[in-house]
């Protein structure tokens, strides 16, 4: 009888934890959802200098690339119960400029990536632009 009470108490605690987490972070209701993240070199006159990108995820290193004009680097970000605060970070280097930014942050992007679950970044000479449809772009920040 005592074992049954302990199991029941444990189930109640687990249920309450999941419920409270879902209330505080609504996007955790979307466990297992995947988001397509894409970073595009949108420079107009890139000459021979590529845009160098290196990204990491909560699970480890995603690797790096040297992107020529029009090239992209993409991956899939997956939301898990333990990753509701997950961040996918990229370091960009172009000429003498260097910028580290969060290419995907669950708490920021799970809603703004839209129903398509597409999170795209267009990296340009004047800054970093975000879009969920790759038609309408909004400047999020500059290189500085």
């Amino acid at each position: 009888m005592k074992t049954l009470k302990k199991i029941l108490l444990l189930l109640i605690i687990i249920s309450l934890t999941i419920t409270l987490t879902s209330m505080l972070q609504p996007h955790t209701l979307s466990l297992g959802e995947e988001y397509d993240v894409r970073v595009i070199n949108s420079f107009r006159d890139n000459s021979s200098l590529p845009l160098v990108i290196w990204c990491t995820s909560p699970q480890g290193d995603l690797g790096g690339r040297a992107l020529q004009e029009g090239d992209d680097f993409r991956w899939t970000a997956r939301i898990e119960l333990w990753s509701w605060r997950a961040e996918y970070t990229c370091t960009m280097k172009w000429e003498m400029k260097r910028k580290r930014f969060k290419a995907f942050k669950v708490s920021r992007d799970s809603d703004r990536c839209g129903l398509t679950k597409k999170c795209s970044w267009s990296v340009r000479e004047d800054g970093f632009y975000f879009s969920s449809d790759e038609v309408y772009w909004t400047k999020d920040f500059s290189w500085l």
Side-chain angles (χ1 to χ4, degrees):
M1 192 67 162
K2 286 184 178 183
T3 304
L4 183 60
K5 285 182 181 181
K6 286 181 182 180
I7 291 173
L8 186 59
L9 181 61
L10 182 62
L11 288 174
I12 291 171
I13 291 172
I14 291 172
S15 297
L16 285 174
T17 302
I18 292 172
T19 302
L20 289 174
T21 302
S22 298
M23 288 170 46
L24 294 173
Q25 297 291 331
H27 50 15
T28 57
L29 293 173
S30 307
L31 296 178
E33 284 193 2
E34 295 181 343
Y35 293 82
D36 294 319
V37 183
R38 182 177 184 216
V39 180
I40 308 160
N41 177 346
S42 298
F43 291 153
R44 303 240 188 262
D45 184 21
N46 202 19
S47 66
S48 61
L49 290 175
L51 173 67
V52 178
I53 179 172
W54 196 275
C55 300
T56 59
S57 76
Q59 291 77 32
D61 194 357
L62 295 173
R65 306 269 191 293
L67 304 177
Q68 295 297 333
E69 228 173 292
D71 288 347
D72 69 353
F73 182 45
R74 61 176 62 202
W75 67 90
T76 300
R78 184 178 169 93
I79 296 179
E80 302 292 351
L81 179 62
W82 56 87
S83 67
W84 61 270
R85 295 175 65 185
E87 296 177 358
Y88 292 73
T89 304
C90 294
T91 300
M92 312 293 288
K93 185 175 182 283
W94 174 59
E95 292 181 346
M96 298 303 291
K97 298 176 183 177
R98 177 180 236 111
K99 180 76 172 183
R100 186 172 183 202
F101 79 105
K102 293 173 180 65
F104 183 79
K105 183 177 178 180
V106 174
S107 60
R108 177 193 69 194
D109 297 325
S110 61
D111 290 330
R112 80 171 181 166
C113 290
L115 296 174
T116 61
K117 297 185 180 12
K118 188 184 241 182
C119 313
S120 299
W121 291 95
S122 172
V123 182
R124 305 175 188 178
E125 289 88 350
D126 69 330
F128 296 69
Y129 292 74
F130 179 84
S131 176
S132 62
D133 60 10
E134 295 189 6
V135 175
Y136 300 102
W137 297 91
T138 304
K139 186 175 181 180
D140 260 27
F141 48 88
S142 64
W143 279 92
L144 303 174

